[in-house]
């Protein structure tokens, strides 16, 4: 496929999926354009992407970290991620690798491919037809960020974490990372960042 037929995308962030319980929507945005593509992914892939977006370093490398380190250690470059098909509600992707001599394309789940591309700074592309079929345009186009503030409507009343001191939040964050509860750690780190900005 000619480069002119490929549309470059950028990762905007994550939000809870309104379509599927327990899933997340990964939002990809057309570079220099208004179209957004939602990709429904599972909780574990969302967690891996979210901790990278939030700059959280886990105590041990996750699978996507390990894969990215392995590729780089052997001098292989991930050239691009190409979302080439959308069928029955599923996006299909391929990753293009090069060692300077050989170029190889490998099929991948889109969620895994994005988690790896995020760690290697790899560009993401799709086709114009996929953009037209699956994309949407936001009227007021606010920037989407990793959605860590969504709460259940019927959640029991309890002391608000937002009211805790920075030191308490830091202790909580360290414990969550030690316990490998990265989803909650992401939420606490976002609160910490907001509190530090307001100091």
């Amino acid at each position: 496929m000619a480069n002119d037929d490929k549309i470059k995308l950028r990762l905007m962030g994550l939000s809870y999926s309104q379509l599927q319980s327990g899933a997340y929507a990964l939002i990809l945005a057309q570079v220099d354009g208004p179209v957004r593509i939602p990709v429904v992914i599972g909780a574990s892939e969302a967690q891996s992407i979210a901790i990278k977006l939030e700059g959280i370093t886990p105590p041990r490398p996750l699978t996507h970290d390990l894969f990215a380190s392995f590729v780089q250690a052997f001098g292989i470059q991930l050239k691009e991620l190409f979302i080439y098909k959308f069928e029955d509600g599923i996006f299909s992707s391929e990753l293009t690798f090069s060692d300077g001599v050989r170029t190889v394309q490998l099929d991948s789940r889109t969620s895994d491919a994005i988690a790896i591309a995020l760690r290697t700074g790899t560009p993401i592309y799709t086709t114009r037809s996929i953009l037209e079929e699956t994309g949407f345009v936001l009227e007021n186009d606010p920037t989407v960020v990793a959605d860590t503030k969504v709460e259940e409507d019927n959640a029991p009343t309890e002391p608000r974490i937002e009211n805790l001191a920075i030191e308490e939040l830091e202790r909580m964050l360290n414990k969550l990372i030690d316990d490998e509860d990265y989803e909650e750690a992401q939420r606490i780190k976002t609160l910490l960042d907001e509190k530090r900005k307001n100091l």
Side-chain angles (χ1 to χ4, degrees):
M1 178 176 289
N3 282 337
D4 292 345
D5 298 327
K6 290 183 178 180
I7 306 296
K8 192 170 185 180
L9 303 172
R10 63 185 172 86
L11 177 59
M12 288 189 74
L14 286 165
S15 66
Y16 290 108
S17 173
Q18 303 299 312
L19 305 175
Q20 195 171 327
S21 177
Y24 292 78
L26 182 66
I27 309 298
L28 298 172
Q30 176 187 9
V31 172
D32 300 325
V35 184
R36 310 290 179 252
I37 297 176
V39 181
V40 176
I41 63 175
S44 61
E45 293 82 8
Q47 186 179 80
S48 177
I49 290 167
I51 67 168
K52 187 63 180 174
L53 286 174
E54 289 294 318
I56 296 171
T57 303
R60 294 179 296 172
L62 302 179
T63 305
H64 299 118
D65 297 314
L66 179 62
F67 185 87
S69 297
F70 174 84
V71 167
Q72 290 166 348
F74 281 88
I76 298 169
Q77 184 181 6
L78 179 51
K79 305 287 285 184
E80 72 171 36
L81 185 177
F82 182 42
I83 303 170
Y84 66 89
K85 185 170 73 173
F86 179 75
E87 189 173 79
D88 298 326
I90 297 171
F91 292 92
S92 296
S93 296
E94 66 180 16
L95 295 168
T96 300
F97 296 91
S98 175
D99 63 1
V101 178
R102 279 198 321 157
T103 298
V104 177
Q105 273 124 10
L106 298 177
D107 196 45
S108 173
R109 293 192 311 168
T110 299
S111 54
D112 288 327
I114 290 172
I116 294 166
L118 186 60
R119 286 160 167 78
T120 54
T122 301
I124 303 170
Y125 297 94
T126 193
T127 66
R128 189 168 297 281
S129 62
I130 288 175
L131 197 73
E132 290 170 356
E133 182 181 355
T134 66
F136 65 93
V137 176
L138 294 177
E139 290 181 12
N140 295 321
D141 198 13
T143 300
V144 179
V145 296
D147 190 351
T148 57
K149 297 178 184 176
V150 176
E151 298 177 359
E152 294 294 331
D153 291 337
N154 299 320
T157 303
E158 57 184 37
R160 292 179 63 84
I161 291 176
E162 292 88 342
N163 295 332
L164 294 177
I166 286 177
E167 293 77 14
E168 292 175 84
L169 288 171
E170 285 172 342
R171 279 196 295 274
M172 190 179 294
L173 177 62
N174 290 332
K175 184 177 186 318
L176 288 167
I177 291 173
D178 288 342
D179 293 343
E180 298 188 5
D181 185 352
Y182 301 122
E183 189 174 349
E184 185 65 13
Q186 173 203 349
R187 190 166 79 91
I188 299 303
K189 184 175 186 304
T190 300
L191 288 173
L192 262 172
D193 291 344
E194 287 175 1
K195 277 185 174 283
R196 286 173 179 144
K197 277 182 200 170
N198 294 328
L199 285 178

